[in-house]
């Protein structure tokens, strides 16, 4: 007889919904062609240029182009890492409380890698986009970072709950 799936509590259901929403968001962003994707990231690239290259407008056009391309590349890779960190965070909290080095954590990393791989394959069918192994690795690192953050948060919350529980026991004994 097949095992029954464990029931999810309300928080796990919430994070399952957020995980699915992030997956849809990633799919939609990956469905943008090169020009649309460039417009999406140009706001952040412009902001980064103002912060890190304050003298940008005074540079020669060739240098401006080079600075723009490098900054845009970094912004895009940070965006990959960040959205996949959020995905890893939400997927990890969907799985629930556990330690870092468990099969459940490994399962979330494998899930993240598989989704990143499917995302890159999807992009290879979008005009002007490509399938890049480097992006899969950045995405998987983001998922792993999200898992670590979620487990740290679970640990902090568990510590606070234990402290409150211990205080209540001390107070109730008096």
């Amino acid at each position: 007889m097949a095992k029954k799936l464990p029931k999810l509590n309300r928080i796990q259901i919430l994070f399952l919904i957020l995980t699915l929403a992030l997956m849809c968001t990633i799919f939609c962003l990956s469905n943008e062609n090169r020009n649309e994707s460039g417009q999406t990231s140009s706001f952040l690239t412009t902001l980064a240029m103002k912060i890190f290259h304050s003298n940008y407008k005074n540079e020669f056009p060739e240098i401006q182009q080079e600075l723009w391309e490098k900054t845009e590349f970094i912004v895009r890779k940070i965006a990959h890492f960040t959205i996949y960190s959020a995905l890893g965070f939400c997927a990890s909290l969907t799985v629930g409380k556990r330690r870092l080095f468990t099969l459940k954590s490994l399962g979330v990393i494998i899930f993240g890698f598989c989704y990143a791989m499917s995302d890159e394959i999807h992009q290879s069918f979008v005009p002007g986009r490509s399938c890049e192994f480097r992006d899969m690795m950045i995405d998987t690192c983001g998922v792993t970072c999200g898992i670590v953050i979620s487990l740290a948060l679970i640990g902090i919350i568990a510590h606070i709950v234990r402290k409150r529980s211990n205080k209540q026991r001390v107070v109730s004994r008096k």
Side-chain angles (χ1 to χ4, degrees):
M1 190 166 162
K3 285 185 179 180
K4 288 185 178 179
L5 290 175
K7 285 190 174 182
L8 299 177
N9 63 38
R10 289 180 183 163
I11 291 174
Q12 288 173 299
I13 292 170
L14 170 67
F15 281 101
L16 174 62
I17 292 167
L18 291 172
T19 299
L20 294 172
L22 279 166
M23 291 170 72
C24 290
T25 301
I26 290 167
F27 180 85
C28 290
L29 289 170
S30 294
N31 207 38
E32 293 178 341
N33 66 35
R34 177 72 176 150
N35 292 337
E36 293 168 330
S37 179
Q39 289 174 351
T40 301
S41 64
S42 68
F43 169 76
L44 292 174
T45 303
T46 302
L47 183 63
M49 293 299 282
K50 288 179 182 177
I51 294 169
F52 298 110
H53 304 291
S54 57
N55 201 29
Y56 173 75
K57 299 245 184 215
N58 299 329
E59 297 290 350
F60 291 110
E62 304 83 36
I63 294 175
Q64 285 181 342
Q65 179 68 24
E66 183 181 339
L67 286 172
W68 181 268
E69 288 172 2
K70 286 180 180 179
T71 304
E72 182 182 43
F73 176 82
I74 292 168
V75 165
R76 286 177 169 274
K77 300 314 164 194
I78 289 172
H80 268 267
F81 185 86
T82 303
I83 197 160
Y84 274 89
S85 290
L87 181 66
F89 179 85
C90 291
S92 179
L93 290 177
T94 299
V95 171
K97 185 178 175 184
R98 68 198 180 285
R99 295 187 186 273
L100 177 60
F101 299 109
T102 63
L103 287 177
K104 286 182 178 180
S105 292
L106 180 61
V108 176
I109 292 170
I110 291 169
F111 157 75
F113 174 77
C114 290
Y115 192 73
M117 185 171 56
S118 71
D119 178 47
E120 289 301 315
I121 291 169
H122 167 232
Q123 283 183 33
S124 71
F125 295 101
V126 177
R129 303 291 294 271
S130 61
C131 176
E132 295 188 28
F133 183 75
R134 172 185 53 215
D135 286 349
M136 283 184 249
M137 292 297 95
I138 291 169
D139 299 343
T140 304
C141 288
V143 167
T144 304
C145 181
I147 292 169
V148 170
I149 291 169
S150 73
L151 293 175
L153 181 65
I154 288 170
I156 290 167
I157 291 170
H159 179 73
I160 292 169
V161 168
R162 276 193 304 272
K163 269 188 147 178
R164 285 186 181 173
S165 176
N166 288 340
K167 283 183 183 179
Q168 288 175 350
R169 280 190 216 138
V170 170
V171 171
S172 65
R173 290 181 188 167
K174 291 182 180 181

